[in-house]
Amino acid sequence: MNEHMYTVKAFATLTGVTERTLHFYDRKGLMAPSSYNEHGHRLYSKDDISTMQKIITLKYLGFSLQEIADYLANHDSPQMRDTLQKQKAMLAKKRGELDYVINTITRVEQIMQDEDLDSDLLLAIIHSIHREKEQEEWLSDRLPQSVIEHALLKHLSPQERLKFEREMLAIVNQLQHYCKLGVSPSEVVVQRTIEHMITTMNEHIAPHYQEKIAELDLDDHSLLYVSIFSKEVEDYIKEAVHRFEENQLRRS
């Protein structure tokens, strides 16, 4: 019998797993050795090779250790076929989620280009993109479809939208930079940036659509609509916009 038995090291080499994994499976009750030698060392049989192949295959398919243990203890073909179908559906869903995350990161990279962004600003942008579908569902109960399309920039072609998002990102990044440097909202450089921001907004989203969007109460929906600025930067930009509007009124 001994000629057909394998030590932990030999069995690990034969099956392509680590000795540590074999010890772990033994502790978890997933696969115990078939025998022990006179020194109490684990020994594995040829039947254990077949069991290990099943474990490796089920792990490759994405099964949890508990699901693998359940199968090994109580396996039958009809149940396995049903389990495989469910596993396939779960993996397809996971693949879709991973593809969505990859597409989100790709889109953010396209928008960023060479902009050096604050990490909080970057995460806020990713959050906003991630929640777009939920935002659209929430808006559909509150705004006409034409306004929703403008709020989510769906009225723009992909190229126009990317150009607009890049311009706006550069603008808000510059305003955030001025705020951190302590530049007064009244300074010419800040006011010119605000003018650029408003002009860019008006070129891509008609003012009456902006007004409709601004009327929404977003305070109770912070998970969907997170500000891309800190409170300090947000107040800074509001003050700069307020001073720009006052200057416009004086000139008119």
Side-chain angles (χ1 to χ4, degrees):
M1 180 174 122
N2 284 341
E3 59 181 317
H4 299 299
M5 303 300 286
Y6 305 90
T7 64
V8 169
K9 183 175 181 179
F11 189 74
T13 302
L14 186 66
T15 57
V17 300
T18 65
E19 295 179 41
R20 183 176 180 180
T21 297
L22 291 174
H23 293 157
F24 177 72
Y25 286 171
D26 187 9
R27 290 197 305 273
K28 291 294 183 180
L30 188 63
M31 195 186 86
S34 290
S35 183
Y36 295 86
N37 64 17
E38 63 272 18
H39 302 294
H41 298 154
R42 297 172 174 86
L43 295 174
Y44 294 88
S45 69
K46 287 187 175 180
D47 288 340
D48 292 328
I49 296 175
S50 175
T51 301
M52 179 55 70
Q53 287 173 341
K54 292 172 185 174
I55 293 172
I56 291 170
T57 302
L58 291 167
K59 275 197 69 183
Y60 164 73
L61 292 172
F63 285 75
S64 68
L65 291 183
Q66 184 57 55
E67 288 169 334
I68 294 172
D70 292 343
Y71 171 77
L72 294 176
N74 178 30
H75 61 86
D76 60 74
S77 296
Q79 183 185 34
M80 187 59 188
R81 283 196 293 269
D82 181 58
T83 302
L84 277 176
Q85 289 175 350
K86 291 178 181 176
Q87 192 70 5
K88 180 182 177 182
M90 184 274 290
L91 289 172
K93 182 175 182 241
K94 186 177 288 186
R95 180 178 63 186
E97 292 169 350
L98 289 172
D99 286 344
Y100 187 76
V101 172
I102 291 170
N103 290 336
T104 297
I105 294 173
T106 300
R107 183 172 157 194
V108 169
E109 287 174 336
Q110 290 173 337
I111 296 170
M112 284 174 57
Q113 288 188 306
D114 298 324
E115 286 286 332
D116 185 19
L117 297 186
D118 174 85
S119 59
D120 287 344
L121 177 57
L122 178 58
L123 290 175
I125 293 169
I126 293 173
H127 177 90
S128 180
I129 293 174
H130 170 59
R131 295 285 186 169
E132 274 185 353
K133 289 181 181 178
E134 293 167 271
Q135 290 170 1
E136 185 169 6
E137 290 174 3
W138 185 80
L139 288 170
S140 65
D141 294 329
R142 293 161 176 83
L143 293 173
Q145 186 60 34
S146 60
V147 181
I148 294 173
E149 288 184 359
H150 282 73
L152 300 178
L153 305 178
K154 289 192 171 187
H155 64 297
L156 302 176
S157 69
Q159 295 78 12
E160 290 172 331
R161 176 173 182 166
L162 182 58
K163 181 175 180 292
F164 172 63
E165 288 174 331
R166 283 173 174 170
E167 287 182 18
M168 289 301 296
L169 179 60
I171 290 168
V172 299
N173 201 30
Q174 188 63 60
L175 289 170
Q176 184 168 260
H177 180 64
Y178 288 146
C179 177
K180 288 184 176 180
L181 289 177
V183 180
S184 169
S186 299
E187 286 289 334
V188 173
V189 288
V190 178
Q191 287 298 297
R192 284 178 178 168
T193 305
I194 291 295
E195 183 177 15
H196 183 198
M197 180 182 75
I198 293 173
T199 301
T200 302
M201 285 284 294
N202 291 342
E203 285 175 353
H204 293 84
I205 306 175
H208 66 277
Y209 286 124
Q210 294 182 43
E211 290 169 7
K212 289 288 184 183
I213 297 166
E215 290 172 3
L216 287 172
D217 182 6
L218 305 178
D219 290 343
D220 294 331
H221 302 277
S222 57
L223 285 178
L224 288 181
Y225 297 95
V226 60
S227 172
I228 63 173
F229 310 112
S230 66
K231 182 68 166 59
E232 179 187 10
V233 175
E234 191 171 336
D235 289 343
Y236 178 85
I237 294 175
K238 284 180 180 178
E239 177 63 22
V241 170
H242 176 67
R243 296 189 186 186
F244 176 82
E245 290 172 343
E246 283 186 334
N247 290 334
Q248 290 296 102
L249 283 173
R250 289 195 197 99
R251 291 172 188 165
S252 61

